[in-house]
């Protein structure tokens, strides 16, 4: 989200802004800045440079900066995250401060008083800032330990008997979000429970929790997900929403009884995933060119495969954003519908009503579609219908 209104962004970008870009921004509830970047009309860095010129401050690309260790803890974490600022350098002119909104003079004055030094503001883009701020995220294990020990005079036994469960669950989710995890696994074991995050497709252990806390954490998640708290022998699925500073985060919840207790898996459905452009996904220029040629054709199929957390959904949604125009009828069939796309017709699979992938796909073909997205090809019937539809255009 830009700190400048859409009309100012339009003036900066000039003739690159077309009516369809404004329409896309309005339909997708985005700022014009975000819409232009998502449609790859202009790069994040280029637009950032234009905004920096508007504010008459230098532009900084934080991905190219190595922040000195002595500056990492110069400012309080809450100030950094709330104000979206980052001290990245220091010289005789003062502290170099990257800011998403360098127009906040009161923030500059406050930080100058706090540090006792002159603040030199630089403009950083919101996307760049959010990536850079991940270096400030505290270790989850330390957060949990601090929550249990924060009350002076409490013994470890007392802390375990009356832990701050709500804040502990919030910390697990918030830290996962800041580390860009796609999933959170809370797994009971014989002597303790472990918390693992799936980041870039790989699971990594981030914390260990006392076994006595596991059931209470699970109960808290069940309450937030409107699941039965008295059911411990059957699998349960639900969803919940957690309010973070950055966004209201939707989470899909799965609880499964295993030998040592109930295992919980949280799938984080962040709106950040829909903000990626194809150029953000790390493809080589050759692969990006091949994909672009594929989705601009009037027939054919793109098969997106890979392990859990590898970025399949993000890739597909990045393509759908580009081709989603008023002239096209885009229909999807998914299980579940993870992200809403304005302007597209999204179907949720429902076996109870015989709305399977195959049955839904047959119905979609009678709806005069231009583009079809099949969330999963689970059987030969679905595969056959999808291939025939792709061949006939």
């Amino acid at each position: 989200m830009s700190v400048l209104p859409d009309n100012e962004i339009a003036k900066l970008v000039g003739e690159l802004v077309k009516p369809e870009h404004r329409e896309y921004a309005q339909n997708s509830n985005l700022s014009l800045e975000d819409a232009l970047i998502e449609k790859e009309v202009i790069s994040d860095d280029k637009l950032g440079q234009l905004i920096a010129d508007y504010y008459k401050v230098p532009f900084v690309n934080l991905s190219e900066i190595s922040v000195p260790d002595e500056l990492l803890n110069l400012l309080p974490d809450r100030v950094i995250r709330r104000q979206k600022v980052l001290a990245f350098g220091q010289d005789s002119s003062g502290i170099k401060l990257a800011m998403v909104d360098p127009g906040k003079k009161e923030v500059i004055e406050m930080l100058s008083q706090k540090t006792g030094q002159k603040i030199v503001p630089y403009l950083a883009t919101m996307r760049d800032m959010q990536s850079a701020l991940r270096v400030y995220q505290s270790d989850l294990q330390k957060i949990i330990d601090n929550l249990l020990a924060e009350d002076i005079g409490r013994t470890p036994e007392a802390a375990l008997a009356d832990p701050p469960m709500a804040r502990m669950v919030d910390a697990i989710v918030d830290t996962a979000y800041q580390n860009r995890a796609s999933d959170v696994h809370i797994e009971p074991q014989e002597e303790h429970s472990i918390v693992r995050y799936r980041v870039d497709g790989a699971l990594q252990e981030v914390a260990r929790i006392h076994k006595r806390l596991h059931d209470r954490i699970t109960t808290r998640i069940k309450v937030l997900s409107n699941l039965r708290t008295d059911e411990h022998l059957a699998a349960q699925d639900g969803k919940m929403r957690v309010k973070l500073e950055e966004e209201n985060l939707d989470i899909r919840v799965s609880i499964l009884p295993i030998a040592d207790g109930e295992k919980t898996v949280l799938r984080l459905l962040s709106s950040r995933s829909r903000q990626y452009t194809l150029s953000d996904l790390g493809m080589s220029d050759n692969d990006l060119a091949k994909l672009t040629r594929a989705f601009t054709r009037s027939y054919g199929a793109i098969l997106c495969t890979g392990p859990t957390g590898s970025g399949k959904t993000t890739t597909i949604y990045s393509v759908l954003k580009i081709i989603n125009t008023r002239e096209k009828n885009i229909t999807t069939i998914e299980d579940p519908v993870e992200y809403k796309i304005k302007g597209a017709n999204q179907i949720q699979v429902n076996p109870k009503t015989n709305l399977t992938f195959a049955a839904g796909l047959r119905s979609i073909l009678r709806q005069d579609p231009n583009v079809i997205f099949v969330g999963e090809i689970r059987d030969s019937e679905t595969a056959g219908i999808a291939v025939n539809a792709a061949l006939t255009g």
Side-chain angles (χ1 to χ4, degrees), residues 165-325:
M165 296 315 308
R167 283 186 291 165
M168 196 167 293
V169 172
D170 289 345
I172 291 173
V173 172
D174 185 60
T175 309
Y177 177 87
Q178 301 304 332
N179 284 278
R180 294 186 178 271
S182 60
D183 301 86
V184 178
H185 292 236
I186 306 173
E187 306 170 356
Q189 298 188 346
E190 187 174 351
E191 297 180 353
H192 54 260
S193 294
I194 63 174
V195 180
R196 297 198 291 171
Y197 293 161
R198 187 179 295 280
V199 180
D200 295 332
L203 276 173
Q204 49 190 262
E205 182 178 328
V206 294
R208 295 194 173 201
I209 300 174
H210 197 285
K211 191 63 180 285
R212 277 189 281 175
L213 296 179
H214 180 85
D215 289 345
R216 301 183 68 173
I217 289 175
T218 304
T219 298
R220 172 65 181 170
I221 292 173
K222 286 181 177 179
V223 170
L224 293 174
S225 309
N226 294 317
L227 299 177
R228 290 184 56 184
T229 58
D230 60 343
E231 177 59 75
H232 305 287
L233 300 178
Q236 296 191 71
D237 296 316
K239 58 185 178 180
M240 65 184 191
R241 172 169 284 195
V242 176
K243 186 175 182 180
L244 305 178
E245 285 191 14
E246 294 82 359
E247 64 173 294
N248 290 327
L249 181 65
D250 290 318
I251 299 174
R252 200 165 74 230
V253 179
S254 173
I255 298 177
L256 182 70
I258 61 176
D260 292 309
E262 292 179 285
K263 176 185 176 181
T264 300
V265 175
L266 310 177
R267 166 60 62 91
L268 277 55
L269 305 176
S270 170
S271 64
R272 288 186 305 201
S273 295
R274 70 176 303 280
Q275 295 170 357
Y276 287 117
T277 62
L278 285 179
S279 57
D280 294 329
L281 301 182
M283 294 184 187
S284 67
D285 292 340
N286 187 40
D287 288 341
L288 186 58
K290 289 180 181 178
L291 178 60
T292 303
R293 285 197 300 270
F295 69 69
T296 52
R297 290 175 177 169
S298 59
Y299 66 95
I302 297 173
L303 196 61
C304 189
T305 66
T308 300
S310 60
K312 300 184 296 296
T313 301
T314 301
T315 301
I316 292 297
Y317 276 84
S318 296
V319 172
L320 290 176
K321 284 186 304 184
I322 296 174
I323 62 178
N324 184 18
T325 62

Side-chain angles (χ1 to χ4, degrees), residues 8-236:
E8 292 295 338
I9 293 293
K11 290 179 184 178
L12 293 178
V13 178
E15 296 179 354
L16 292 177
V17 180
K18 307 297 182 185
E20 57 264 30
H21 300 144
R22 294 181 181 275
E23 180 183 346
Y24 176 72
Q26 183 176 3
N27 292 339
S28 303
N29 195 27
L30 296 172
S31 67
L32 181 59
E33 174 185 337
D34 287 338
L36 292 173
I37 293 173
E38 285 198 7
K39 286 292 187 179
E40 300 191 329
V41 175
I42 190 171
S43 69
D44 192 42
D45 281 357
K46 179 62 176 176
L47 187 52
Q49 183 64 66
L50 293 174
I51 297 174
D53 294 342
Y54 174 89
Y55 280 110
K56 296 181 172 59
V57 299
F59 173 73
V60 60
N61 185 335
L62 293 173
S63 64
E64 300 175 352
I65 299 293
S66 179
V67 181
D69 291 340
E70 61 269 19
L71 294 179
L72 289 179
N73 298 313
L74 183 64
L75 304 175
D77 181 71
R78 59 181 179 79
V79 173
I80 292 169
R81 291 184 57 187
R82 183 168 297 171
Q83 301 298 341
K84 298 294 185 294
V85 296
L86 178 62
F88 67 91
Q90 186 174 15
D91 56 24
S92 58
S93 64
I95 296 174
K96 297 179 181 180
L97 187 73
M99 305 180 68
V100 170
D101 185 1
K104 288 185 174 181
K105 303 299 183 184
E106 69 281 4
V107 174
I108 296 175
E109 293 174 3
M110 181 267 290
L111 295 178
S112 179
Q113 292 177 0
K114 186 173 185 61
T115 60
Q117 300 184 55
K118 182 181 178 181
I119 299 295
V120 183
Y122 283 68
L123 187 284
T125 67
M126 178 65 82
R127 294 177 181 221
D128 196 21
M129 178 66 72
Q130 288 175 338
S131 296
L133 289 187
R134 280 186 290 162
V135 302
Y136 281 93
Q137 299 316 307
S138 301
D139 180 87
L140 178 61
Q141 189 69 63
K142 292 181 181 178
I143 294 176
I144 292 174
D145 293 342
N146 289 339
L147 285 173
L148 291 174
E150 64 181 3
D151 293 336
I152 298 176
R154 295 185 77 187
T155 64
E157 291 75 16
L160 287 173
D162 185 25
M165 296 315 308
R167 283 186 291 165
M168 196 167 293
V169 172
D170 289 345
I172 291 173
V173 172
D174 185 60
T175 309
Y177 177 87
Q178 301 304 332
N179 284 278
R180 294 186 178 271
S182 60
D183 301 86
V184 178
H185 292 236
I186 306 173
E187 306 170 356
Q189 298 188 346
E190 187 174 351
E191 297 180 353
H192 54 260
S193 294
I194 63 174
V195 180
R196 297 198 291 171
Y197 293 161
R198 187 179 295 280
V199 180
D200 295 332
L203 276 173
Q204 49 190 262
E205 182 178 328
V206 294
R208 295 194 173 201
I209 300 174
H210 197 285
K211 191 63 180 285
R212 277 189 281 175
L213 296 179
H214 180 85
D215 289 345
R216 301 183 68 173
I217 289 175
T218 304
T219 298
R220 172 65 181 170
I221 292 173
K222 286 181 177 179
V223 170
L224 293 174
S225 309
N226 294 317
L227 299 177
R228 290 184 56 184
T229 58
D230 60 343
E231 177 59 75
H232 305 287
L233 300 178
Q236 296 191 71

